[in-house]
Structures are given as structure tokens and as C-alpha cells.
Amino acid sequence: MAFFHHILLLLLLCSCTVKSAELWAQYCNDNSKISSPQQSANIDNLLAELVSGTILNGFTTNSFGKGKDQVFGLAQCRGDVSSKDCSICIQDASKQIRKLCPDQSDARIWYDYCFIKYDTEQFFGQVDTSIGIFFYNVENVTDPDSFNKELGNLADEISSEAVVPGNKGLGRAKKKLSPFLTLYALAQCTRDLSPLSCAQCLATAIGNFPTFCDNKKGCRVLYSSCIVRYELYPFYFPLDPDETLGNMPMTYYHSIVQKP
Ligand SMILES: *[C@@H]1O[C@H](CO)[C@@H](O)[C@H](O)[C@H]1NC(C)=O
């Protein structure tokens, strides 16, 4: 009896403390087919290096192989997540990206807590807004005018914070809209970008708010160089004592937009 009791306790602990990472989206460029078994092996080796580098530093760029089989990669965790969540996320992402994009040498994967991209071209330091993935809550806010004004203020705040050297490309801000409603916003650039390039990426991302996020209760714009997100519930760290992480509402939709 005591034995079973023990097992049950362990299971409960496991399901409570090990929260698996949340996969949001992937992009596999079908114009980039893996050209040789060597290149495929290079991607696996690159991913292993990206994982270990990200577990150490939260961000890393690397390349693997030579000549036409060479691949370049970038991996990063969101600047506010714990090293444990980062480690779980990046390991999961490195496995999933190969499963989801098995034949492509240009691939990206976005998780809640981390991001990976690899390509045959060297892309470090360049702003990439070629692929945009938009998630939006179909529910509308009730008072668009005041909401959009506060959202605009938060967008400015998170952008200014993200471009400050030393902030790891991360900006967070929140604003109490009423005693019961708080708006949370987050910006994250990849850490290979200069402040100017980060600002440029975020301006493009936030520039989509009027089209894709118009009056929506929540929205996420995902690019390969930056992401911007806002919600009416807590989703970034650290949490205040009275806050608990929210979950993605069932009313979220997403679409992928590729620049012509
Ligand atoms: C939100 O507003 C848009 C534009 O007015 C409308 O088309 C849409 O149906 C609304 N969504 C909901 C869930 O009410």
C-alpha cells in the first residue's frame, strides 16, 4: 500500500512540475531541399551545437560543415524564461524541427519559450521579416479606442526596452486597464541583431497590429528576427504574486503570410 502511495505521489509531482514546451508554428521552405546525406548530417550536428549553446547562454549562432553542404543556425530562448524551461523547450524544438521539416535545409520553428532557425545562407545580423505568422484572438475588445491607445503606449515601451543593449532583445510591459483587466505586452528580437535592426523588425511587427490584430483581445506576430505579443492575461515572467500564467484561449486563429 505504501509502495503505491509513493508511485502516485511521484506521478502527481511529475505532471505538475514538467510542463512540456508549447509548439506554435513552423516554416519549412520547400524551395530548399536537403541536397545530400552529408548536409542532413550537418543539420543534425548543427542542432546538437545549437541546443548545448542555448542551454548555456539562452542564445547561440553556429554553423556546421563546408562548401555547399554547410548550414547556419540560430537558436534562442525568450529572455524571461528560466534556464530549466529554456532547456526543455530548445531540446523539444530541435527534435520537432527535423520531424516537421525533414527534407528542407531552410527551416524555422517557434515555441512559446524558444525559437530555432537554420539555412544554407549565412543570415546572422540580418532582419528577416519574409515569413510572418499571425495568431489572433477572434474576440474583440469592448472599448477599442481606449484599448488601442494603451496598446500603442505599451508597444512603444516594449520596443524601447528591447533595443537597449544588455536587455537580450527583450521588452515587457503591462498596464492596468481597469481593476479587473490588465494588458500585457512582450517584444523579443533575436540577439544577433543590432539595436537598429531590432527596432526595424519590431516596427514592422507592430505595424501589423491595425491589420491582423485590429481590436483583438490578444495577438502574436512571429517573424524569424522578432516576435511581438499582447494578451489580457499574464504570460511573461516574472509573475507577480497575484498572477498565474494564462493559456491560449480556444478562440485563437492563425495565418501565415509570405512576402511576395
Ligand atoms: C469582431 O469584429 C469584427 C469587425 O467588426 C467582426 O467582423 C467580427 O465578427 C467580430 N468578432 C466577434 C467574435 O464578435
Side-chain angles (χ1 to χ4, degrees):
M1 190 59 204
F3 175 72
F4 285 110
H5 195 240
H6 206 75
I7 298 268
L8 186 66
L9 189 67
L10 274 178
L11 286 175
L12 285 175
L13 280 176
C14 290
S15 61
C16 295
T17 52
V18 181
K19 182 178 176 286
S20 67
E22 188 181 327
L23 169 62
W24 281 358
Q26 74 279 350
Y27 171 76
C28 317
N29 184 353
D30 285 324
N31 297 320
S32 74
K33 288 287 170 84
I34 291 176
S35 58
S36 65
Q38 182 60 57
Q39 189 171 54
S40 184
N42 288 348
I43 291 174
D44 288 333
N45 284 311
L46 173 70
L47 281 169
E49 290 186 345
L50 291 177
V51 166
S52 57
T54 306
I55 287 174
L56 275 179
N57 299 317
F59 162 75
T60 191
T61 56
N62 222 320
S63 73
F64 206 95
K66 290 198 201 74
K68 65 173 180 40
D69 292 327
Q70 187 175 16
V71 281
F72 301 84
L74 177 154
Q76 176 168 329
C77 284
R78 225 174 65 194
D80 59 315
V81 307
S82 69
S83 50
K84 186 179 166 218
D85 283 341
C86 175
S87 167
I88 293 170
C89 186
I90 210 72
Q91 292 182 69
D92 201 17
S94 74
K95 291 188 196 99
Q96 287 299 326
I97 196 170
R98 285 293 264 158
K99 277 194 200 139
L100 295 166
C101 306
D103 306 319
Q104 292 85 358
S105 56
D106 171 10
R108 305 112 202 250
I109 194 162
W110 291 263
Y111 276 65
D112 193 354
Y113 293 164
C114 65
F115 169 75
I116 298 180
K117 170 181 175 177
Y118 51 78
D119 197 352
T120 53
E121 309 272 316
Q122 213 274 47
F123 59 87
F124 309 145
Q126 294 165 32
V127 177
D128 179 359
T129 50
S130 55
I131 310 299
I133 301 187
F134 303 87
F135 282 81
Y136 54 91
N137 192 334
V138 291
E139 286 184 0
N140 299 311
V141 296
T142 45
D143 51 349
D145 288 346
S146 68
F147 183 85
N148 287 328
K149 186 168 151 280
E150 296 297 355
L151 181 59
N153 291 340
L154 286 188
D156 289 345
E157 227 177 290
I158 57 177
S159 304
S160 326
E161 197 178 306
V163 300
V164 173
N167 281 355
K168 300 178 178 178
L170 174 71
R172 287 160 295 185
K174 60 182 165 186
K175 175 76 202 248
K176 233 180 184 12
L177 302 181
S178 81
F180 312 103
L181 206 59
T182 302
L183 178 58
Y184 298 82
L186 175 142
Q188 176 74 68
C189 288
T190 54
R191 286 162 61 183
D192 58 321
L193 297 187
S194 67
L196 189 66
S197 298
C198 174
Q200 194 187 326
C201 187
L202 293 177
T204 306
I206 290 162
N208 291 302
F209 279 6
T211 38
F212 288 97
C213 312
D214 193 30
N215 302 339
K216 302 301 179 208
K217 282 185 176 177
C219 199
R220 305 161 194 197
V221 178
L222 315 180
Y223 286 128
S224 302
S225 290
C226 68
I227 63 164
V228 177
R229 172 181 180 188
Y230 73 82
E231 308 284 359
L232 287 170
Y233 58 81
F235 66 90
Y236 62 68
F237 302 102
L239 292 165
D240 279 349
D242 62 337
E243 292 173 345
T244 45
L245 283 182
N247 290 314
M248 192 189 292
M250 298 299 285
T251 47
Y252 249 89
Y253 277 64
H254 90 276
S255 58
I256 300 185
V257 174
Q258 194 165 354
K259 251 187 210 162

